[in-house]
Each structure stands twice: as structure tokens, then as C-alpha cells.
Amino acid sequence: MQLPVQSQSTLYAEPWEADAGAEDLVDIARAADRAGFAYLAVCDHVAVPRRLAPAMSTVWYDPVATLAFLAAVTERVRLLSHVAVVGLRHPLVTAKQYATLDHLSGGRLVLGVGAGHVREEFEALGVDFERRGAVLDECVDALRAALGPDEFPSHHGKLYDFEDLGQRPRPAQVRVPLWVGGSSPAAVRRAAVRGDGWLPQGDPRDRLPGQIARLRRLREEAGLAGPFTVGAITEPLYVGEPAWDVGRRTLSGSPEALAESLRAYAAMGVDQVQVRFRSRGRAELVDQMGEFGERVAPLL
């Protein structure tokens, strides 16, 4: 699941998150650990321009700091950046941050990357917004090298060139999973040929089969046959019959009914689903997570 509190876009934030903070994040992360969730995810924006602030808000916790903080209070749940806009930073800086996180967490990092969409953010940091796709492509290649097993990684590209520069600690994992986010044709191609997995950007159910078929075709054409994780973001969920208005798009009802609906994702070829629960406060959210882990997840 995507963590609440750490990003507060009006598209998905609940009203109670505005006054929440570190204590809430710790409680929710520990609940995810107890309930058997596969990962916790955080978003990435360096700065939000005033024109977008009413919709996006300016609350976007730094992903590395947040995941490192939560790594210290959890034991098994994995830590996903969904997504890190890695083109805003030099790959060696990104590699240093995330390799350290993987090392300190005992190998729990999943690095999710994306191209980004806020022009002013790129301009302020001196990165070409129009070429952000090409920048991300090379960043992925450079990160493959910089997060690999070599203490002195090397990469020689059009934008980045490095060798004979050592970085330790190395990641605890032999290969850090690298998932690519986004649903545009370019993003799907990038995920297929450069990633270990795909994180769609809110594709509705009826679009997913076509996207997954294209992923498989692109990987076959590129001669890629290794493990690949296909993700999906579900509709908002509420376990049980809500006593308040959870919105018409929310899936609610018995554990059996929710599980039956979610199993449709597996039938499409989805490997992991990211869920978001409607809630009126931290206690209700933690309760929903526990109910889902105990009563819905075993049916999946």
C-alpha cells in the first residue's frame, strides 16, 4: 500500500491526514508489518509550484528519509519508492541514498522510478523537462551499474560518465528490484525493456489486459525472459459494511466479496496489487489494514 500522510494530494488524501505526522506513520507501518503487507510505498516531489499547490498540496515527505525512518521501526515489510523521480538527481547521488537504505534495512528496498510531470520542478533544478524520458532511460542504466555488486561501478553515457569512484556500503541485495512507473506508451516500453516490474499510474481494470499484453510482447521482442512483476492499483477499499459515505468508487463488503473482486486482477496477469483504504482516522485505517490482512488476504 501507498503510505498516507507523506503525500497529500486532494485526489486521495483523507481529511485527517492534514494533522497527522511521524507517530501516525510509525503506527501504520507497524500495522503493515503485522498484517503481512508486501510493501509500503512513498512518493517523490522536491517542490510543488504555486499553480499546482491547491490540488497537489505541498506535503510530500522525502522518500529516502521517510523509508529509512520506517525501516527502523519495522522488520519485514519492503520499502518502495512509488515513484522516485530519479532524473532530478545525479545517479551517483541516488545510488548512494538508496544503497544505504537497502543496506540499513537488510535488503528491503524496491526502487520504483518514473519520469516526473512538474515542469517547474525540473527547471528549478536545472534538468531538461522536455528530455525527461531520455534522462530517465539513462538514469536507469546508470543505476543498474551503481546499485550492482561492484564497489567501483562504471557507466559511460551521453549524460553521465563515471568510473573508478567507489561507493560503500553496497546494497544488501545482489540485485535491487527496479520497477518503472507510468502508463504512457513510453513508460510501458521503459518498464518492459529496462525494468524488473511495472507500476501503472491508475489504469482502470478495462485497460490493464491490453497494457499487460503489450508488456509481454515488448519483452519477448527484446529477448527478455527473466522474472518480471506486474502491478496494479485497486479501487479504494473498505472491509465490511461502512456506516458512512465512502464514495461510489469504493469496493466494500464482506471479505469474500472483496477477495472475489480482487482475484480478477490475478486473472489478468497481475502479480501484486496496491491497495488504499477509506478511513476517518488512524485508528480506523489500522483496523482496516488488520481486517484485510487477516480476512481478505488469505482468500487471495
Side-chain angles (χ1 to χ4, degrees), residues 58-120:
T58 57
V59 180
W60 296 83
Y61 288 35
D62 177 78
V64 179
T66 305
L67 291 174
F69 173 66
L70 296 177
V73 298
T74 54
E75 296 180 357
R76 50 151 300 279
V77 69
R78 302 204 72 166
L79 310 163
L80 168 67
S81 57
H82 186 187
V83 288
V85 186
V86 292
L88 295 175
R89 308 163 181 89
H90 193 286
L92 285 179
V93 174
T94 300
K96 168 61 73 175
Q97 293 174 316
Y98 283 100
T100 303
L101 172 59
D102 194 62
H103 178 81
L104 291 175
S105 68
R108 290 193 275 150
L109 170 67
V110 181
L111 181 58
V113 303
H117 66 95
V118 179
R119 177 182 292 274
E120 292 94 330

Side-chain angles (χ1 to χ4, degrees), residues 96-292:
K96 168 61 73 175
Q97 293 174 316
Y98 283 100
T100 303
L101 172 59
D102 194 62
H103 178 81
L104 291 175
S105 68
R108 290 193 275 150
L109 170 67
V110 181
L111 181 58
V113 303
H117 66 95
V118 179
R119 177 182 292 274
E120 292 94 330
E121 205 169 22
F122 281 74
E123 292 173 347
L125 296 172
V127 183
D128 189 342
F129 179 76
E130 299 297 341
R131 298 189 64 244
R132 65 193 184 281
V135 171
L136 176 56
D137 284 343
E138 187 170 334
C139 273
V140 170
D141 294 342
L143 285 168
R144 283 289 192 204
L147 290 171
D150 295 337
E151 179 182 352
F152 293 89
S154 64
H155 170 81
H156 303 289
K158 294 180 179 179
L159 299 170
Y160 308 108
D161 192 288
F162 55 83
E163 66 178 338
D164 296 330
L165 291 167
Q167 286 191 328
R168 295 182 70 182
R170 305 307 302 153
Q173 298 177 87
V174 174
R175 181 183 175 92
V176 172
L178 198 154
W179 295 352
V180 177
S183 295
S184 68
V188 172
R189 173 175 289 278
R190 184 176 298 116
V193 302
R194 282 185 158 86
D196 300 310
W198 177 54
L199 294 164
Q201 189 61 45
D203 289 70
R205 293 192 187 206
D206 59 354
R207 283 195 64 196
L208 281 170
Q211 295 278 57
I212 294 169
R214 182 165 181 263
L215 278 166
R216 289 173 174 165
R217 184 174 67 253
L218 289 167
R219 287 181 62 77
E220 184 177 346
E221 290 171 356
L224 299 169
F228 188 84
T229 302
V230 175
I233 301 175
T234 74
E235 302 86 348
L237 304 179
Y238 193 91
V239 184
E241 296 299 335
W244 56 288
D245 183 8
V246 295
R248 61 181 180 83
R249 289 189 60 250
T250 299
L251 298 177
S252 63
S254 69
E256 293 76 15
L258 291 181
E260 182 179 1
S261 180
L262 295 177
R263 281 196 294 267
Y265 285 103
M268 298 177 198
V270 170
D271 300 302
Q272 61 89 6
V273 289
Q274 186 178 123
V275 297
R276 178 180 290 276
F277 301 98
R278 294 301 318 274
S279 62
R280 292 166 292 180
R282 181 181 76 185
E284 185 171 30
L285 175 57
V286 167
D287 180 66
Q288 282 285 302
M289 293 169 65
E291 286 286 290
F292 186 89

